[in-house]
Amino acid sequence: MLKNFGGSIAFTLLCLALAAAYGWYQTASVPATLAMLWIVVMLSVLEISLSFDNAVVNAVVLGEMDAVWQRRFLTWGMVIAVFGMRIVFPVAIVAIASGIGPVEAVRISLTEPARYEEIVSGAHVGIAGFGGAFLAMVGLSFFFDGEKDVHWITWIEARLARFADIKAAEIAILLVAVYGISLLLPPAEALTFLGASALGIVTFIAVEAIGTLLEMREEAQKAAGIMVRSGLAGFLYLNVLDASFSFDGVIGAFALSNNMVVIALGLSIGAMFVRSLTLLLVKQGTLSEYRYLEHGAFWAIIALAAIMLISAHVEIPETVTGLIGAVLIGLSLWWSVRHNRELPDGEIEDALRAE
C-alpha cells in the first residue's frame, strides 16, 4: 500500500508545505494559514470523492496498456491533470469569457479572486454541456455493446445491449436529452449549451477514431512481423476522460475558496491519489475479482453526466453528485461480493478466467 501511495503522500506533503508558505505570505497569520491548509485538505477530499468512479474506469483502460504507458499516465498525465485542468483550464475560461489575454487572466486569478470566480462560474453552461455530453457518451458506449454478456442491472443492461446493432443509437438518445434540457434555458444559454454538447460528442468520436486508427496501424505492423505495443490511444483517451471528470471538481471548488492557488493545490492532491488508486486497482486485479464493480462505475458516470447536463438549468450540490457515485459503486461492489459467495471456490476461479 505504501509503495502504491508513497508518491501521492510525498506530493501531498509538498503541496501542504507550499500552501502553508503561501498562506503565511498572504496573511502573516497562523490561524489564517491553518484555515487555508484546512481548505486545501477539504478540496483534495472533494476531488477524490467525485473521482472514484473515474479511477475505476481508468483502471479498465490502463489494464490494457503496458507498464511503460502506465508509468507515463502517472507522470506525464499528472502534469496534464495538474497544470492543464487545475490551472490552465480555469485561466483559459477567464481569458475566453472576458475576451482578454492570458497574462491579464492570470493577473485576475491572483489579484481579483471574486471576479475570477464570477467569470468561471458564468461559463458553467458551456462547461456542463461539453463535460456532460462527453461523459454520457463514455457511459452509454459501455452499455450499448452487443458483445457485453455480463449484466448487473439486467432488465436495463440486457435491453441496451440488444440495441447496440442500431448505429448511433446512444448519440440519438443523448441528443434528444440535450435538446430537451436546452428548451428550459434562455435562448442565448440554450445556443451555448447545444454547441458545447455537440463539441463534447464530437470530441468523444474523435478520441475513439484516433484510438481505432492507432490500433489498425499496430495490427498492420504485427502482420508485417513488427512487434509494436503502444498505449498512446489509451493515454489520450484517459487524459480527455480525466479532463471531463475534473470539470465538476473545478467548478465545485468555488464553494470552498475562490483563490486559484488554493484550489489548484487541493485538487492536485486529489488528482494524484486518484491516479495511485487507479494503478492499485490494476495491479490487484480488482475489476476481474469483483465482476459488477465496472458496471457500477459506468452507471456512476452516466449519473454524473446527467447531473452535469441538468446543472445547466438547476444547481445541484456537489455532495449529491459524490453520494450518488459512491452509492452506485458501493452497491455494485456489494453485489459482486454476494455473487462470489454464492459460487463454490473452484467456480470463482473458472468464472474469473472466463471473463
Side-chain angles (χ1 to χ4, degrees):
M1 187 67 68
L2 182 61
K3 182 179 179 181
N4 282 289
F5 288 94
S8 296
I9 294 172
F11 183 79
T12 298
L13 294 176
L14 174 62
C15 287
L16 291 177
L18 291 173
Y22 177 75
W24 181 257
Y25 173 78
Q26 289 289 316
T27 66
S29 166
V30 173
T33 300
L34 291 175
M36 190 173 292
L37 283 172
W38 178 248
I39 293 174
V40 169
V41 173
M42 289 297 97
L43 285 169
S44 65
V45 172
L46 171 69
E47 178 72 6
I48 294 171
S49 65
L50 290 175
S51 300
F52 183 78
D53 47 357
N54 187 13
V56 177
V57 176
N58 284 351
V60 176
V61 181
L62 206 62
E64 301 173 355
M65 297 163 61
D66 57 27
V68 173
W69 280 99
Q70 289 180 1
R71 287 194 298 271
R72 289 172 178 171
F73 171 70
L74 188 60
T75 53
W76 298 355
M78 190 60 210
V79 173
I80 295 172
V82 173
F83 292 99
M85 290 309 303
R86 276 76 184 179
I87 298 177
V88 176
F89 170 68
V91 172
I93 290 177
V94 172
I96 295 172
S98 302
I100 60 179
V103 175
E104 178 64 11
V106 172
R107 187 196 65 78
I108 291 174
S109 66
L110 294 174
T111 62
E112 301 181 51
R115 184 182 173 196
Y116 170 74
E117 176 185 355
E118 181 183 356
I119 295 172
V120 174
S121 300
H124 177 69
V125 171
I127 295 172
F130 179 88
F134 183 87
L135 289 177
M137 287 299 300
V138 171
L140 291 173
S141 296
F142 175 77
F143 294 107
F144 279 82
D145 183 356
E147 298 180 359
K148 180 175 173 291
D149 54 5
V150 176
H151 304 303
W152 175 36
I153 309 177
T154 307
W155 63 280
I156 297 178
E157 296 182 19
R159 287 173 172 78
L160 293 179
R162 285 201 294 268
F163 284 103
D165 292 333
I166 302 176
K167 291 183 178 180
E170 63 271 33
I171 297 178
I173 292 174
L174 178 56
L175 287 175
V176 170
V178 166
Y179 178 70
I181 294 173
S182 72
L183 296 177
L184 303 174
L185 303 175
E189 291 186 357
L191 184 60
T192 300
F193 181 74
L194 288 172
S197 299
L199 186 58
I201 295 173
V202 170
T203 300
F204 175 83
I205 295 173
V207 172
E208 288 285 297
I210 291 172
T212 301
L213 290 173
L214 290 175
E215 288 176 4
M216 291 171 60
R217 180 172 177 269
E218 183 176 331
E219 290 298 325
Q221 289 175 328
K222 287 181 179 179
I226 304 173
M227 296 304 294
V228 176
R229 191 179 183 185
S230 173
L232 178 59
F235 180 81
L236 294 173
Y237 176 77
L238 285 176
N239 279 285
V240 175
L241 185 64
D242 178 77
S244 297
F245 270 102
S246 69
F247 288 153
D248 60 330
V250 171
I251 299 299
F254 287 107
L256 297 175
S257 174
N258 58 11
N259 187 303
M260 186 196 76
V261 176
V262 172
I263 291 175
L265 289 172
L267 296 185
S268 298
I269 293 173
M272 188 67 180
F273 271 97
V274 169
R275 272 166 163 67
S276 296
L277 178 60
T278 297
L279 290 179
L280 181 64
L281 292 173
V282 173
K283 291 178 180 178
Q284 293 191 347
T286 304
L287 296 181
S288 60
E289 183 178 353
Y290 301 104
R291 61 186 274 146
Y292 301 125
L293 184 58
E294 184 179 358
H295 296 67
F298 277 99
W299 277 118
I301 287 177
I302 290 178
L304 174 59
I307 288 172
M308 287 190 73
L309 292 172
I310 294 171
S311 70
H313 176 62
V314 180
E315 183 178 353
I316 301 175
E318 281 68 30
T319 304
V320 174
T321 304
L323 283 176
I324 290 176
V327 168
L328 287 168
I329 292 175
L331 285 174
S332 65
L333 179 61
W334 175 75
W335 224 271
S336 301
V337 171
R338 193 183 72 165
H339 170 80
N340 291 342
R341 287 176 179 173
E342 292 175 353
L343 291 176
D345 293 339
E347 289 188 19
I348 293 178
E349 296 181 3
D350 293 339
L352 292 176
R353 283 195 294 268
E355 293 178 14

